[in-house]
Amino acid sequence: MDIIANVLLGFRVALEPANLLLCFVGVLLGTLVGVLPGLGPVAAISLLLPMTFKMTAAGAIIMLAGIYYGAMYGGSTTSILMNIPGEAASIITCLDGYQMARQGRAGPALGISAFGSFIAGTFGVLGLMLLAPWLGKAALKFGPPEYLALMLLGLTLVAYLSHGSVIKAFLMTVAGLLVGTIGTDPISGHQRFTYGSITLMDGVGIVPVAMGMFGVAEVLENVEKELAGEIYQTRIKGLFPTLKDWGESLGAIVRGTILGFFVGLLPGPSSMIASFSSYAMEKRLSKNPESFGKGAIAGVAGPESANNSATAGAFIPLLSLGIPANLVMALFMGALMIHGVQPGPLFISEHPDLFFGVICSMYIGNVMLLFLNLPLVGLWVRVLKTPYFFLCPLILLFCLVGAYSLNGNVVEVAITIFFGIVGFLLRKFSFDGTPFLLALVLGPALENNLRQSLIIARGDLSLFFSRPLSLILILATLFLLFDSAFSWFRNRKIPSVAE
Amino acid sequence: MLLALFGLEETRKLPVGTWKSPAPGFFPLVLSFLLSVVAAFLLWTALAKGKKEASRIAFFASSAGRTRVWLTVLALVFFNLSLETLGFLLTSFLFLAFLIRVLSSQKWMVILGGSFLFSFSLYVLFDLLFKLPLPRGVLGF
């Protein structure tokens, strides 16, 4: 009965005209961001975060959430029509989606992608609604050692799953933690690495860094390479999948939904991992695995469903534990804190209207997206033709203005530009910025829990091994570290296996 | 490595405390040390690999690409230095016009018209609609 009352409360919040409009704006912008290659949800949410200052907390999160799951819907459009993924989670859709378009089946590909995303998104939100409150209650039993161990596991997992070199990812994680110490020490009030700068006394903000590393750096990369893609020129017809298409896709959608939801709980690029894992699973389970890569509809349905349900799953660690599982969640954490809301075990009990309001708006948003993606696909194709020489400068300007508007401080603009150049250089040397940014966000909380744990234990590290949950988490972290080291040594000994 | 060495040097000025009672310098010191170890290891593997691989990969894909990137960075620095002096409208107009010219060979009317339209739209969006004041500059707008 409690949950029914909360859901009704949630719908009351979600159906307020202002929140309904913000939901629509969010999903529309999200689809646009997903459609446009080169601008992912991280950069988009960073750009739009300053605009949410004047909104209520519920309105802000509703709009930003709409951008996040809207981008998952939109990303499939460019994958299918241009063979260029709109965002990372849609990379795998290129394999079969584009082949379906070349066979004159762009319509069913787009259609099954939209319907699969809708079904998965809806069930994902249901899972979020049921699991998050339960996990929040369980997390009340966590102490500083458990939180520390969980954060260490999260950061290690992000580095472990990062694309490219694991050593580089670990380097970025430690660098992010170090940069996160800049500012005023919250316990003693000591200034660390501030050099008298009032701006740096508050630490290095996540928004300017995110806009720099993922907005400015992305544009610099595009400016260098002059990204251009060929849109598959055909009249898109038959958006509604046939019964045969449904027969071939339904299993993939169900499996993708369940897989994606649980993968979404894990730290790291969960949407991308979910879509890749779903593709691998469908290919393995298929009676005709050789058809994958040549236009198999299950190769579109499964991954697109998985990445959408992963977006719902990713909210759970943030809202119930206060730990962001990926970059987008880190920005959500920033947005909540800007509005004076602390995510964590007490979030749901203290702000049921906010939690259930956002959940219910996600149901509504999924319905909106179904209507946006199918009839408006022609419009999105036209948007894809926007010249890059207009888009790139505009994205840069958005980043810079967004940085300035945070505090009316030109130093934040300089930080954005600095991290934009750093981000560009990191990409050139194949360093992934994701572990850096996540570490920057988690660093202060991690340090706080570490110091509290050491004070409680009076310097005795066996505290972490004497508490069961902390022990499990620490062992999992050590396992990942040893596995990374072992893989590295093994690849060094037998380089041909690695190739 | 530079960041690690910088961190190690700067944390000497902070109280470190002990395991039982860590002070503000404790965590940065541990991280700086860890960073220096990982960075040294990465440097060693890169140097070892460099001896085996004779080919050199160009940093920029093309000289035209390199020029575009440098000019874009220049535009970004200009924006930062001029924003509060010239004001948002003029700075963003010049910024956009310069970049569109760098990235395309459009006619000047298109460049100037588009730059004005976008910079004014952003001014309306941020300053008037979202009430996030943007700098006016010495010219008053």
Side-chain angles (χ1 to χ4, degrees), chain A residues 26-384:
Chain A
V27 299
L28 185 70
L29 286 175
T31 307
L32 181 65
V33 162
V35 161
L36 290 170
L39 187 68
V42 172
I45 291 172
S46 309
L47 294 181
L48 294 166
L49 197 55
M51 288 192 201
T52 66
F53 294 167
K54 304 287 181 183
M55 299 175 193
T56 61
I61 301 303
I62 283 170
M63 187 182 86
L64 297 176
I67 293 171
Y68 184 33
Y69 55 85
M72 298 301 137
Y73 272 78
S76 57
T77 306
T78 38
S79 296
I80 291 165
L81 297 179
M82 284 177 75
N83 203 25
I84 294 175
E87 38 83 46
S90 299
I91 291 170
I92 205 77
T93 306
C94 292
L95 292 181
D96 282 277
Y98 187 64
Q99 293 307 316
M100 285 183 72
R102 286 168 63 93
Q103 292 161 19
R105 300 193 69 223
L110 291 166
I112 206 69
S113 173
F115 280 110
S117 297
F118 170 72
I119 293 167
T122 304
F123 279 100
V125 173
L126 191 65
L128 166 62
M129 190 175 78
L130 296 172
L131 202 58
W134 172 81
L135 194 57
K137 281 187 190 137
L140 284 170
K141 294 179 188 148
F142 283 25
E146 282 76 21
Y147 270 109
L148 174 67
L150 189 61
M151 286 182 205
L152 283 173
L153 176 62
L155 288 173
T156 307
L157 199 54
V158 167
Y160 184 78
L161 294 171
S162 192
H163 53 261
S165 161
V166 176
I167 299 173
K168 286 181 178 176
F170 277 122
L171 189 87
M172 294 304 296
T173 303
V174 180
L177 287 172
L178 186 58
V179 172
T181 62
I182 295 173
T184 308
D185 176 44
I187 296 173
S188 65
H190 260 95
Q191 300 299 316
R192 296 190 296 198
F193 313 114
T194 58
Y195 305 103
S197 164
I198 296 170
T199 310
L200 289 180
M201 281 179 194
D202 287 332
V204 177
I206 178 187
V207 176
V209 175
M211 285 202 281
M213 289 182 89
F214 294 91
V216 174
E218 182 75 39
V219 171
L220 287 174
E221 212 177 24
N222 292 339
V223 157
E224 186 203 351
K225 290 173 189 165
E226 274 194 312
L227 248 191
E230 201 180 296
I231 303 175
Y232 185 70
Q233 302 291 340
T234 187
R235 199 161 167 256
I236 296 163
K237 50 188 194 277
L239 286 170
F240 289 94
T242 61
L243 278 172
K244 184 171 179 279
D245 290 331
W246 277 111
E248 288 170 11
S249 310
L250 199 57
I253 290 171
V254 170
R255 287 186 290 268
T257 300
I258 297 169
L259 173 72
F261 181 76
F262 287 105
V263 169
L265 293 172
L266 299 173
S270 51
S271 296
M272 191 169 81
I273 294 168
S275 61
F276 273 75
S277 305
S278 173
Y279 189 86
M281 181 171 65
E282 291 311 315
K283 192 171 176 181
R284 190 165 263 253
L285 293 173
S286 172
K287 288 174 190 159
N288 306 302
E290 67 282 353
S291 65
F292 278 71
K294 294 172 189 164
I297 199 166
V300 174
E304 285 299 317
S305 304
N307 75 29
N308 265 76
S309 68
T311 60
F315 275 95
I316 293 176
L318 174 70
L319 299 182
S320 52
L321 301 173
I323 296 174
N326 56 41
L327 281 178
V328 176
M329 291 301 120
L331 290 170
F332 273 102
M333 186 169 174
L336 282 166
M337 287 167 74
I338 283 168
H339 285 90
V341 176
Q342 179 68 42
L346 299 174
F347 170 73
I348 298 170
S349 56
E350 286 179 355
H351 303 278
D353 54 333
L354 178 54
F355 176 74
F356 284 98
V358 171
I359 299 279
C360 293
S361 79
M362 287 166 87
Y363 284 122
I364 299 168
N366 271 302
V367 174
M368 287 181 184
L369 280 165
L370 195 59
F371 288 103
L372 272 176
N373 273 267
L374 292 180
L376 296 183
V377 73
L379 173 67
W380 302 127
V381 171
R382 272 199 210 108
V383 166
L384 279 170

Side-chain angles (χ1 to χ4, degrees), chain A residues 47 50-55 165 167-168 170-172 174-175 177-179 181 185 188-193 195 216 219-226 388-390 392-394 396-398 400-402 404-405 408-411 413-414 417 421 424-425 428-429 431 436 443-444 446-447 450-452 454-456 458-461 488-489 492, chain B residues 3-4 6-7 10-11 13-15 18-32 34-35 38-42 44-45 48-49 52 58-62 64-66 68-69 72-73 75-77 79-81 83-84 88 92 95-96 99-100 102-104 106 110-111 114-115 118-119 122 125-126 130-135:
Chain A
L47 294 181
M51 288 192 201
T52 66
F53 294 167
K54 304 287 181 183
M55 299 175 193
S165 161
I167 299 173
K168 286 181 178 176
F170 277 122
L171 189 87
M172 294 304 296
V174 180
L177 287 172
L178 186 58
V179 172
T181 62
D185 176 44
S188 65
H190 260 95
Q191 300 299 316
R192 296 190 296 198
F193 313 114
Y195 305 103
V216 174
V219 171
L220 287 174
E221 212 177 24
N222 292 339
V223 157
E224 186 203 351
K225 290 173 189 165
E226 274 194 312
Y388 251 76
F389 58 78
F390 266 133
C392 286
L394 207 57
L396 282 178
L397 192 58
F398 239 100
L400 300 175
V401 173
Y404 183 84
S405 62
N409 189 349
V410 78
V411 175
V413 179
I417 296 170
I421 297 168
F424 175 71
L425 292 172
K428 280 288 179 183
F429 290 111
F431 282 86
F436 178 90
L446 195 147
E447 182 187 2
L450 172 68
R451 284 162 80 171
Q452 283 183 31
L454 288 174
I455 290 169
I456 291 168
R458 295 181 194 182
D460 182 8
L461 293 179
W488 185 85
F489 279 109
R492 289 265 303 180
Chain B
L3 180 64
F6 175 77
E10 290 300 309
T11 48
K13 299 172 191 169
L14 294 167
T18 62
W19 274 110
K20 288 183 187 177
S21 180
F26 180 82
F27 195 52
L29 181 66
V30 168
L31 291 173
S32 302
L34 193 57
L35 188 64
V38 179
F41 182 73
L42 195 63
W44 170 70
T45 56
K49 203 173 173 186
K52 290 176 195 168
F59 188 78
F60 286 103
S62 65
R66 182 184 61 214
R68 283 193 298 270
V69 169
T72 305
V73 171
L76 289 167
V77 172
F79 185 93
N80 189 50
L81 294 174
L83 182 63
E84 289 191 324
F88 170 75
S92 57
F95 176 79
L96 284 174
L99 276 183
I100 295 172
V102 164
L103 298 176
S104 70
Q106 292 292 314
V110 173
I111 292 173
S115 303
F118 285 126
S119 53
L122 278 180
L125 191 69
F126 276 89
F130 290 110
K131 304 271 191 279
L132 297 167
L134 296 170

